[in-house]
Structure formats: C-alpha cells, structure tokens
Amino acid sequence: MSRKSVKVAVTGAAGQIGYALLFRIASGQMFGPDTDVELQLLELPQALNALKGVKMELDDCAFPLLKKVTCTDQLEVAFKDVDWALLVGSVPRKAGMERGDLLKINGGIFIAQGKALAENAKPTAKVLVVGNPCNTNAWIAKKAAAGKIPEQNFFAMTMLDQNRAVTQLAQKSGAAVEAVSNLAIWGNHSPTMYPDFFAATIGGKKVTDAISDKVWLEGEFLTTVQKRGAAIIEARGASSAASAANAVVDTVKNLTTPTPAGKFFSVAVSSEGSYGIPKGIMFSFPIRSDGAKWEIVKGIEQGEFGKGKIAATLAELESEKKEVENL
C-alpha cells in the first residue's frame, strides 16, 4: 500500500509563528504519523537567508516523514501543486497605522496570493489564513481565487481564541482543560469576537451551572479572551507565536479528522447564510467535519446577550469588507 503524502505551503515561514509551526508539521503532528510531508516555504527576498537557516534546522532533525523542503520568494513556486496553503505572513499593524491602512496593505498581498493559488495550487487545495486581519484577508484571497478554488476551501483561524477561552473556563472552575467542551467562537478574529459560553459545558454541566459568577462570564471572561493577544504583546514584547502555531496544528487536524459525536470546534468559513450571517462573509462558527467536508452546526440558540455580540462582530466584518471591496 502506498503511503499518503501532502504538499504544504507556508508563507512567512521564517517568522516566529512559522518557526514554531514547521517542526510540528514535519514531525507528523499535523497530518499524522502515516503521511509524508513536502514543505514549500515562502519568504520575502530579504528573509531568504534566515529561511535557509530554518531549512538547515529541519534537515538536522532528520524527520522520517519530511521528504522535501523548498525555500523561495516566488508565489508560483511556493504554491505549486499544494494540498494545503497556510498563509501565516502578513504586514503587522504598526504604531499610528489605522485598521483601514492595514486592510489595504494586506489586501494587495492577499489578492496576489489568491491569484497565485488559483493558478498553481491543486483545485482541491485548502487555504488557512493566519495573518491578521485573518477573516478579511481570507475573504480577499477567496475572491481572488474564485472559479478555481471553491470558497468552502478557505478558512480563517479562530482556534487560538477557542483555546484561550477553554483555558480561562477551566482555570475559573478548577476543572481540567479537557473537561471543557463545545466552546464556540463566533465572528471575527478581533476584539469583537464572541466566545459563546452559553453552549459550552464543563464536565458535562452547562458552564453557567459550573460557574455561577455571571458578572465574570459576561465581563472579565469575554474581555480576557478578546484582548489576550494585546496582553501577550505587552508582556513579551512580541505577538503570540507558539500558541498561534499550536492553533494552526489544531485547526488542520480538526478539519482533516472526523469530529467526535456531539462535539464541534471553531474556524471561520465562508457563510452559506446560517444564523442570518450574509452569504460569503468569512465568519467563525461552530463546525463539524467528517475528515473531508465540514458543516456548520445548526440549532445553537442565542439569547439577547449572544445575539447582540454576534451582531457587533458581524458589523465589524461588514465594515472591513467595505474597506477592501474596491481593491
């Protein structure tokens, strides 16, 4: 029986997230112990030397599953025949930069990447956008690749937000993280996202029964998760890297392996109209996968609190979309 193999493009591969991610892909943590991996790594010309050093380290690990590593600054080389494209690289927001400026700068990058994916990747390729603002960057890439790569193959990462929320609930309740289940992230990967504790359980009990502190749940819990990225930057002087890389691994594993019965996970997908979210918006929902195809979990009821939070994050995504539509 021939072994499975997967070609994976990673952009911004010499950056901090890329550095934390590549060794986990190469070791088999993302696609499993029976799948050979080829890595096609993209960097800016000025970072190619650093990328060469990363490749040397990958070589020095002697990973049995890692069959080939290509380093390049050319989109068409990085995306050639890939099964997965992990779009990690993007321009970070700098002091004095408006969100609209950031959207436009990254807009140009993700238009080029979407077109290059359409022309070079497999038509079945799946694309996970990590570089922020990831929902709108994913929307841009999806539009640029329209007609070649199906819109349901584009994703934006909100698993980091889910992991952050799960840990906060576990610590507050004194439970183990694995006791927390079905915590959905709704909307945009930004401070407007909604970590939905109402649908979640801790040790089989509703979160609202396991944690009686309603003021904490509706206040500090939400803001801690929503502003965690900023808190990490303030503490370590750099963005989340290892935890972001971990969430990339979790996201791909969740999409490529069947979701256990009764469970779901969070990722932003192209809306098909569920929960009143307009079609085509890249919106984070509770998702289930059979290992090949995904579906939005239906029937999660929202009270007035949840409906208000979802409306706010949708409004932000619609305003971002307006900012970049003319690109």
Side-chain angles (χ1 to χ4, degrees):
M1 195 178 88
S2 65
R3 288 167 66 84
K4 291 184 289 184
S5 69
V6 63
K7 274 190 185 183
V8 187
V10 181
T11 72
Q16 289 208 57
I17 296 173
Y19 187 74
L21 175 63
L22 295 175
F23 300 88
R24 297 189 62 179
I25 303 173
S27 69
Q29 288 180 52
M30 184 175 278
F31 295 102
D34 303 316
T35 303
D36 291 335
V37 176
E38 289 187 26
L39 290 173
Q40 298 180 184
L41 309 180
L42 182 74
E43 257 304 350
L44 298 168
Q46 60 268 34
L48 280 178
N49 209 42
L51 187 58
K52 184 179 162 191
V54 176
K55 181 189 181 295
M56 289 160 73
E57 284 204 75
L58 284 164
D59 291 342
D60 294 350
C61 289
F63 290 120
L65 297 172
L66 183 60
K67 299 306 174 191
K68 189 177 179 186
V69 181
T70 303
C71 298
T72 183
D73 60 358
Q74 303 297 308
L75 290 171
E76 60 272 21
V77 175
F79 294 152
K80 183 69 178 161
D81 296 331
V82 292
D83 301 286
W84 275 90
L86 308 176
L87 307 187
V88 176
S90 67
V91 174
R93 189 166 170 179
K94 298 182 178 76
M97 190 187 278
E98 294 297 324
R99 192 171 176 86
D101 300 332
L102 185 67
L103 285 163
K104 289 188 177 73
I105 293 166
N106 279 311
I109 294 167
F110 283 86
I111 288 168
Q113 291 188 358
K115 285 179 176 170
L117 283 161
E119 288 163 16
N120 298 283
K122 289 179 183 170
T124 52
K126 296 193 166 63
V127 182
L128 174 62
V129 179
V130 180
N132 284 321
C134 64
N135 293 57
T136 297
N137 288 342
W139 182 83
I140 292 165
K142 170 181 75 116
K143 294 289 277 187
K148 293 288 184 74
I149 299 175
E151 66 178 342
Q152 64 265 26
N153 287 18
F154 283 82
F155 308 93
M157 190 173 81
T158 55
M159 194 69 209
L160 179 54
D161 309 307
Q162 179 183 316
N163 288 341
R164 287 166 169 168
V166 162
T167 298
Q168 293 301 315
L169 293 176
Q171 289 178 350
K172 180 72 172 178
S173 64
V177 286
E178 62 268 28
V180 182
S181 201
N182 289 357
L183 186 289
I185 302 293
W186 298 85
N188 198 8
H189 172 68
S190 82
T192 68
M193 85 186 77
Y194 173 44
D196 184 3
F197 56 87
F198 285 106
T201 58
I202 302 176
K205 287 166 68 176
K206 282 181 159 181
V207 165
T208 46
D209 292 335
I211 298 172
S212 58
D213 190 343
K214 186 178 180 224
V215 172
W216 181 83
L217 283 170
E218 294 187 0
E220 190 183 331
F221 164 67
L222 291 190
T223 54
T224 298
V225 178
Q226 289 166 337
K227 296 179 179 175
R228 186 68 162 187
I232 287 168
I233 290 169
E234 192 176 329
R236 70 181 289 260
S239 298
S240 308
S243 56
N246 179 68
V248 176
V249 174
D250 285 349
T251 303
V252 176
K253 275 166 68 175
N254 284 332
L255 287 165
T256 53
T257 54
T259 310
K263 306 282 194 203
F264 54 73
F265 62 93
S266 306
V267 67
V269 298
S270 187
S271 172
E272 26 74 304
S274 292
Y275 295 99
I277 304 304
K279 284 187 179 180
I281 291 257
M282 294 298 296
F283 198 89
S284 183
F285 292 98
I287 299 289
R288 292 182 49 77
S289 173
D290 65 4
K293 292 198 170 106
W294 57 265
E295 63 178 8
I296 294 169
V297 176
K298 306 294 198 295
I300 295 176
E301 291 186 16
Q302 297 293 342
E304 287 311 304
F305 182 83
K307 283 177 183 167
K309 296 293 181 193
I310 288 170
T313 196
L314 173 60
E316 181 182 56
L317 278 168
E318 289 187 306
S319 85
E320 286 187 11
K321 183 168 163 255
K322 254 194 202 106
E323 292 259 15
V324 298
E325 261 172 336
N326 62 347
L327 296 174

